[in-house]
């Protein structure tokens, strides 16, 4: 729990996340949606990592009704994504130029510490990732880690969506985001809860089929969303952080990221099922 490379990475993550939210808390400037998200991310990752280390140190995790390896792999991937997002959002929202005050110095230090915390979680993901041919823990494989990535990106998309009105094309896009997110989340939950073994159909082939369907659905959204979102419109001037144009542009790029994730997921899943 403490002396392995994974344990050392977790200890670093605990210390760095604690320093990050302590520095920001000392400034008392973390209000608003983005500030609340950043503080929640640091505190959440800190608390769950401490819990994981304690459960392994006390050897209590085998008594839990879940797949421990899948849970820790999924959490480390989720924490890496959350900390990375926070390391980008916090300085872009709260640090202004020129940075010549004590408060700004602490905010800059918190940003640097947050980046190091992301590296600690990324190291844990790399250390716990399953080797080729080892599929004892699905969420530690590349397709399993991609499932966490796909669900997280879908959450970011939901946070940026605004009113799409009665436009059928945009409603289809929202439906695709929701359907793929729900199914991906169910796969993650059922894997951690050891429920996939009770599926009445071949799991591996079912996942390949789902990845292919999700890829086709996201491909249509990648074309439809920007086509109908920016049709006959121009970027407002000025256009602040919460401007609808910027939010829809963010959804466009996140859609492309998830499209690429489902493509890689399909390639790896097909290789694991039909080639390896």
């Amino acid at each position: 729990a403490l002396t392995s490379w994974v344990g050392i990475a977790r200890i670093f993550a605990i210390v760095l996340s604690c320093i990050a939210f302590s520095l920001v808390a000392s400034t008392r400037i973390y209000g608003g949606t983005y500030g609340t998200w950043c503080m929640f991310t640091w505190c959440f990752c800190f608390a769950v990592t401490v819990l994981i280390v304690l459960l392994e140190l006390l050897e209590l995790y085998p008594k839990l009704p879940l797949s421990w390896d899948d849970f820790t792999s999924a959490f480390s991937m989720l924490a890496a994504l959350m900390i990375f997002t926070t390391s980008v959002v916090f300085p872009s929202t709260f640090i202004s130029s020129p940075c010549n005050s004590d408060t700004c110095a602490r905010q800059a230090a918190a940003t640097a510490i947050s980046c190091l915390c992301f590296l600690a979680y990324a190291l844990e993901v790399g250390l716990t990732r399953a080797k080729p041919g080892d599929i004892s823990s699905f969420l530690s494989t590349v397709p399993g880690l991609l499932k966490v990535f796909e669900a997280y990106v879908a959450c970011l998309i939901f946070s940026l969506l605004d009113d799409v009105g009665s436009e059928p094309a945009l409603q289809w896009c929202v439906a695709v985001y929701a359907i793929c997110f729900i199914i991906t989340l169910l796969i993650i939950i059922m894997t951690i809860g050891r429920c996939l073994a009770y599926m009445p159909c071949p799991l591996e082939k079912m996942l390949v089929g789902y990845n292919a369907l999700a890829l086709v659905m996201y491909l249509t959204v990648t074309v439809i969303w920007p086509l109908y979102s920016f049709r006959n419109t121009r970027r407002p001037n000025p256009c602040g952080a919460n401007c609808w144009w910027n939010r829809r542009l963010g959804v466009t790029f996140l859609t492309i990221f998830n499209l690429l994730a489902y493509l890689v997921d399909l390639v790896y899943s097909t290789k694991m099922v039909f080639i390896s």
Side-chain angles (χ1 to χ4, degrees):
L2 297 178
T3 58
S4 66
W5 284 111
V6 175
I8 294 173
R10 287 172 180 163
I11 295 301
F12 271 105
I14 290 172
V15 174
L16 293 171
S17 58
C18 180
I19 295 175
F21 73 70
S22 298
L23 283 172
V24 175
S26 68
T27 66
R28 298 183 180 180
I29 303 176
Y30 50 87
T33 303
Y34 295 122
T36 303
W37 161 257
C38 295
M39 285 295 287
F40 167 77
T41 296
W42 290 318
C43 294
F44 172 75
C45 294
F46 168 80
V48 177
T49 308
V50 168
L51 180 63
I52 289 174
V53 171
L54 288 177
L55 289 174
E56 290 197 350
L57 194 63
L58 300 175
E59 297 183 351
L60 297 176
Y61 66 91
K63 300 179 180 179
L64 298 176
L66 51 81
S67 174
W68 183 251
D69 291 338
D70 284 311
F71 170 73
T72 54
S73 296
F75 169 74
S76 61
M77 183 64 176
L78 176 63
L81 293 171
M82 293 177 67
I83 294 292
F84 175 78
T85 306
T86 297
S87 300
V88 175
V89 170
F90 181 78
S92 62
T93 304
F94 291 95
I95 298 180
S96 57
S97 181
C99 184
N100 50 15
S101 64
D102 177 67
T103 297
C104 185
R106 279 181 280 178
Q107 291 173 334
T111 301
I113 294 297
S114 182
C115 292
L116 294 176
C117 187
F118 160 72
L119 293 178
Y121 280 114
L123 176 62
E124 182 183 349
V125 172
L127 291 172
T128 57
R129 186 173 69 86
K131 304 301 185 292
D134 179 16
I135 56 173
S136 58
S137 174
F138 171 70
L139 292 181
S140 64
T141 63
V142 173
L145 295 174
L146 285 172
K147 287 287 182 291
V148 180
F149 178 84
E150 292 155 4
Y152 181 74
V153 172
C155 289
L156 295 181
I157 290 175
F158 291 140
S159 69
L160 294 176
L161 284 176
D162 53 9
D163 184 20
V164 298
S166 58
E167 180 64 58
L170 296 182
Q171 291 177 350
W172 160 254
C173 295
V174 175
V176 170
Y177 297 139
I179 292 171
C180 293
F181 169 74
I182 292 172
I183 296 177
T184 302
L185 185 62
L186 284 176
I187 292 173
I188 295 172
I189 294 174
M190 293 179 69
T191 301
I192 295 176
R194 299 175 179 174
C195 299
L196 290 178
Y198 301 102
M199 297 293 291
C201 53
L203 174 63
E204 295 83 1
K205 295 182 179 180
M206 183 192 71
L207 291 177
V208 172
Y210 163 67
N211 290 333
L213 178 61
L215 178 64
V216 173
M217 294 172 69
Y218 258 90
L219 187 60
T220 63
V221 172
T222 305
V223 177
I224 292 174
W225 177 263
L227 182 63
Y228 283 87
S229 291
F230 303 107
R231 184 177 56 178
N232 300 326
T233 59
R234 292 183 178 182
R235 187 175 187 270
N237 188 19
C239 188
N242 291 320
C243 174
W244 66 267
W245 199 94
N246 286 344
R247 295 168 70 91
R248 292 192 176 187
L249 183 63
V251 172
T252 301
F253 280 104
L254 290 173
T255 301
I256 296 173
F257 292 157
N258 245 4
L259 173 69
L260 296 176
Y262 278 110
L263 175 61
V264 177
D265 195 354
L266 177 61
V267 172
Y268 267 90
S269 299
T270 304
K271 181 180 178 181
M272 289 175 59
V273 174
F274 298 105
I275 299 177
S276 301

